Amino acid sequence: MHRLFIAILRVGVVAAILIGLFGQIVVIPTTASDEVDRFPPYAPFAAPYVTVAIVGVACVQVALVAVWMLLSMVRRDAIFTPRAFRWVDVVIGSSVVATLLAVGVSGHLALAEIPSPDDGMDVVGALGAAIVTAGAGAAFAMLVVLMRSLLRKATELKSEMAQVV
């Protein structure tokens, strides 16, 4: 892969990690605080949901660090080695954890009695978003598992070719 592409991808990874960090430190807590100020009955739900949101963003950041490491392996032409599987497994693990968080939030929103201003559409919208997020997370995890199997096959073929040559 061309070094320029790797450099551009790395800039994107760093930017995404920094934006996530800003979200964890500023956006998520501030938004939760504003919602509690707007509708005080949300107060008991603020801390748990803020925690889940921050952990969810951390899962994405962990996956991005793994992508950084995989990009380093591509640059060194070492991607078809057993060591790459560790980083792919980190991406899979972090996406599964984030998906489970979204499933948990979906379950809580669906089953808990959460007060809502006006007509309850805030909770319905949040439930819809959580379900879509859980579905997207599950699809992403399955895609990465599939890509891992392709990486395994390519690694085996490269190993066989090295033995022949």
Side-chain angles (χ1 to χ4, degrees):
M1 185 177 279
H2 196 273
R3 288 187 185 272
L4 177 62
F5 293 144
I6 292 173
I8 291 169
L9 286 170
R10 282 185 166 181
V11 167
V13 166
V14 168
I17 289 172
L18 291 175
I19 289 169
L21 192 60
F22 178 74
Q24 289 169 310
I25 295 170
V26 177
V27 175
I28 294 170
T30 302
T31 302
S33 176
D34 290 347
E35 285 299 312
V36 168
D37 289 345
R38 189 175 69 85
F39 190 66
Y42 281 160
F45 303 102
Y49 275 88
V50 165
T51 302
V52 168
I54 289 172
V55 172
V57 173
C59 289
V60 173
Q61 291 169 321
V62 167
L64 288 169
V65 169
V67 167
W68 178 282
M69 298 305 294
L70 288 167
L71 286 172
S72 296
M73 295 181 81
V74 167
R75 189 176 51 101
R76 292 189 317 263
D77 197 28
I79 193 68
F80 297 115
T81 61
R83 196 170 138 219
F85 293 102
R86 174 179 8 162
W87 295 111
V88 174
D89 289 342
V90 168
V91 173
I92 293 169
S94 66
S95 63
V96 167
V97 169
T99 300
L100 291 174
L101 288 171
V103 167
V105 167
S106 298
H108 184 260
L109 288 171
L111 301 174
E113 290 293 324
I114 300 174
S116 183
D118 301 328
D119 59 359
M121 288 306 293
D122 289 347
V123 174
V124 172
L127 175 60
I131 290 170
V132 168
T133 302
F140 179 76
M142 289 185 284
L143 175 66
V144 177
V145 167
L146 175 67
M147 298 302 287
R148 185 185 190 283
S149 67
L150 294 173
L151 178 63
R152 177 169 304 289
K153 186 66 176 172
T155 302
E156 290 170 0
L157 290 173
K158 184 175 180 184
S159 177
E160 288 176 17
M161 290 299 293
Q163 291 174 355
V164 170
V165 175

